[in-house]
């Protein structure tokens, strides 16, 4: 990254995001009806709440992402930790990221095994 770059390694890694309005449109609901408890919700340094686009599939929150959040949230430092984990190369997923694995038809259960192992490690 050059010293004149305005990029942020966190947002570069997590990828494109929706604002609450965009997430609501993706799900076909009002912002007030967003199922936040089932979503990976990130708050930027300037206080904007965003949602990684890769968690939305066919007009819904990917149920595997919901389960990842349920497993990792209690032991993660922040939601950004979960996003960083999911967008890193995962050895158990043949060195794919979670979004790549799921988009490529990989088994959800393999991702969840990895999430449970990570939760156990993070809890120590």
């Amino acid at each position: 990254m050059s010293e004149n770059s305005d990029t942020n390694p966190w947002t570069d890694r997590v990828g494109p995001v929706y604002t609450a309005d965009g997430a609501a449109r993706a799900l076909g609901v009002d912002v007030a009806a967003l199922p936040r408890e089932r979503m990976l919700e990130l708050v930027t340094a300037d206080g904007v709440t965003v949602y990684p686009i890769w968690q939305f599939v066919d007009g819904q929150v990917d149920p595997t992402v919901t389960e990842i959040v349920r497993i990792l949230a209690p032991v993660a430092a922040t939601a950004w930790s979960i996003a960083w984990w999911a967008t890193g190369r995962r050895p158990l997923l043949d060195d794919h990221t979670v979004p790549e694995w799921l988009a490529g038809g990989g088994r959800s259960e393999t991702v969840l095994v990895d999430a449970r192992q990570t939760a156990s490690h993070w809890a120590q």
Side-chain angles (χ1 to χ4, degrees), residues 37-39 54-71 98 102 108-109 111-112:
E37 71 285 351
R38 297 183 333 192
M39 302 167 68
W54 47 261
Q55 70 183 307
F56 300 94
V57 178
D58 299 326
Q60 66 177 356
V61 179
D62 186 317
T64 303
V65 173
T66 297
E67 189 64 10
I68 289 167
V69 171
R70 187 192 69 72
I71 292 167
V98 170
L102 295 173
S108 293
E109 186 53 38
V111 174
L112 299 179

Side-chain angles (χ1 to χ4, degrees), residues 67-117:
E67 189 64 10
I68 289 167
V69 171
R70 187 192 69 72
I71 292 167
L72 293 178
V75 294
T78 70
W80 283 99
S81 301
I82 299 170
W84 191 265
W85 174 87
T87 56
R89 301 279 166 204
R90 310 292 317 148
L92 197 57
L93 307 181
D94 297 332
D95 214 30
H96 290 90
T97 67
V98 170
E100 290 170 349
W101 180 262
L102 295 173
R107 292 184 63 237
S108 293
E109 186 53 38
T110 306
V111 174
L112 299 179
V113 165
D114 196 6
R116 288 182 198 104
Q117 290 174 354

